[in-house]
Amino acid sequence: MLARRIIPCLDCDLGVPNGRVVKGIEFKQIRYAGVPWELATRYYEDGADEIVFLDITASHERRATMFDVIKKTSEHVFVPLTVGGGISSLEDARNAFNAGADKVTVNTAALRRPELIREISESYGSQAVVVAIDAKRRYQDLDGRITINTESGRCWFECSYYGGRRFTGVDALAWARRVEELGAGEILLTSMDRDGTYDGFDIELTDAVSRMVRIPVIASGGCASPEHMYEVFRRTDASAALAASIFHFNQWSIRDCKRYLHERGINVRITD
C-alpha cells in the first residue's frame, strides 16, 4: 500500500488583513490559531505530506486574499497545496492553480452543479479535483438511503454545504460514488459529528465511504492524537488523516505523529 499521508488543515478567516487561521467545534465556537503562511511553513518543515487551506468566509472579494495567501505560501512550502472555499467555477479553479495550488476542493458548488467536477477534471486532471463531503448522521427517513449498521443503530449520512450551515437531503455515500464517476480524484470526508470534538475519527463513516469508492479518501473530523490516526488507518482504507487543532495548538507535532505510526507498522513518509 502507498504511504499514508498526514495532512494539516488551515481554516482561514480572511476578514482581517492577511487572514488568520481559526478552529471551531462542530463548525462553531471559533478560536484564533495563527497566520496562514507561517503555520503552513512550520508544518512543511515538520514533515507534512500535503497542506489544505479552506476559506471559511469565502466571497468574491476575499477569495482574492486567499490567492495572495497561497502565492506567499508556495514561495516557502514545497508539498502539495489544496485550496477550497468559494471555488464555484472553472475560472476560480484556474486562478487557484495560477496562484500556486496543486489541487482545489469543491463542496457547495459541486452539490449545486455536479458538472463542475467534470469540467475541472477534464481541464486539469482528476488528481487536481478533491470533493469535500461534510456528512452528518441521520437516523430517520431511512427509505431510499444507503444505510449502515452502527453501534447506535442503523443510520445514513446527509451532506451539508455552505460551511455546514445548510443540509441538502443528499445521501453522502451515494454522492461519494457519483463524484468518483464525475472525475473527482479524491474525497475529503469530514464527520460533522466529530469535527473539533477530540473524540477521534468517525470510523464507521470513513470505512463506509472508503469501501464505496476506489479513489483516495482523506479522513477528517475529531482527531486528537496519533492514536486516533493509527485507529483510522488500522480499521479503514483511508489514504490520509487530516487534523487541525492538535497541530495548531502544539499538542502534537507532525513528526511525532509519524514516528508513532511508523513504530506501529503504518507506512508513512519519514523525513529527516
Side-chain angles (χ1 to χ4, degrees):
M1 176 179 284
L2 296 175
R4 307 292 186 102
R5 293 168 291 153
I6 304 301
I7 304 176
C9 180
L10 282 65
D11 292 333
C12 298
D13 175 1
L14 303 175
V16 298
N18 297 323
R20 60 182 179 180
V21 176
V22 297
K23 190 67 188 84
I25 299 174
E26 295 182 24
F27 287 36
K28 302 175 184 177
Q29 302 179 37
I30 305 299
R31 56 177 174 159
Y32 173 72
V35 177
W37 57 82
E38 291 179 356
L39 286 179
T41 301
R42 187 179 98 197
Y43 297 149
Y44 162 65
E45 293 173 348
D46 197 33
D49 295 297
E50 300 181 19
I51 297 173
V52 170
F53 289 85
L54 297 180
D55 178 0
I56 65 170
T57 56
S59 68
H60 178 71
E61 294 79 11
R62 292 179 179 177
R63 195 173 306 122
T65 304
M66 172 58 92
F67 296 152
D68 288 341
V69 168
I70 298 305
K71 286 179 180 178
K72 192 161 187 174
T73 301
S74 64
E75 295 173 357
H76 306 284
V77 172
F78 304 102
V79 293
L81 303 178
T82 300
V83 180
I87 304 294
S88 59
S89 67
L90 186 60
E91 180 182 3
D92 289 336
R94 182 180 302 113
N95 289 335
F97 293 132
N98 288 340
D102 298 280
K103 307 177 187 180
V104 294
T105 177
V106 291
N107 182 359
T108 300
L111 282 161
R112 293 173 63 89
R113 192 173 70 84
E115 279 303 311
L116 176 63
I117 300 169
R118 191 184 306 280
E119 291 169 6
I120 300 174
S121 176
E122 290 179 350
S123 296
Y124 295 98
S126 62
Q127 83 291 337
V129 189
V130 181
V131 173
I133 299 178
D134 299 334
K136 191 170 184 64
R137 290 179 183 230
R138 301 298 191 195
Y139 293 94
Q140 293 78 34
D141 186 26
L142 301 180
D143 292 343
R145 313 291 186 177
I146 299 177
T147 60
I148 66 170
N149 286 318
T150 70
E151 292 181 357
S152 53
R154 197 157 187 83
C155 72
W156 64 286
F157 297 91
E158 182 179 7
C159 291
S160 72
Y161 56 14
Y162 290 115
R165 293 186 294 274
R166 299 185 190 176
F167 288 92
T168 62
V170 174
D171 184 323
L173 296 183
W175 178 236
R177 185 163 54 195
R178 187 178 180 200
V179 303
E180 179 180 31
E181 294 169 352
L182 287 167
E186 196 163 14
I187 290 171
L188 171 52
L189 178 66
T190 300
S191 166
M192 292 189 65
D193 302 294
R194 297 296 183 94
D195 179 69
T197 65
Y198 282 24
D199 290 335
F201 294 103
D202 189 325
I203 300 298
E204 293 161 334
L205 170 62
T206 306
D207 182 57
V209 173
S210 297
R211 290 175 180 271
M212 186 66 61
V213 299
R214 293 169 294 178
I215 57 178
V217 173
I218 303 170
S220 171
C223 182
S225 67
E227 289 92 336
H228 288 154
M229 296 177 183
Y230 174 72
E231 189 73 0
V232 79
F233 288 146
R234 184 178 69 85
R235 297 179 59 186
T236 81
D237 288 331
S239 69
L242 181 144
S245 297
I246 65 169
F247 301 141
H248 297 341
F249 304 115
N250 299 311
Q251 293 159 319
W252 287 93
S253 70
I254 295 170
R255 196 175 306 276
D256 285 344
C257 287
K258 285 191 169 185
R259 186 178 298 114
Y260 178 95
L261 295 169
H262 177 72
E263 290 172 353
R264 286 155 181 79
I266 303 297
N267 183 19
V268 292
R269 183 180 66 91
I270 301 293
T271 58
D272 294 333

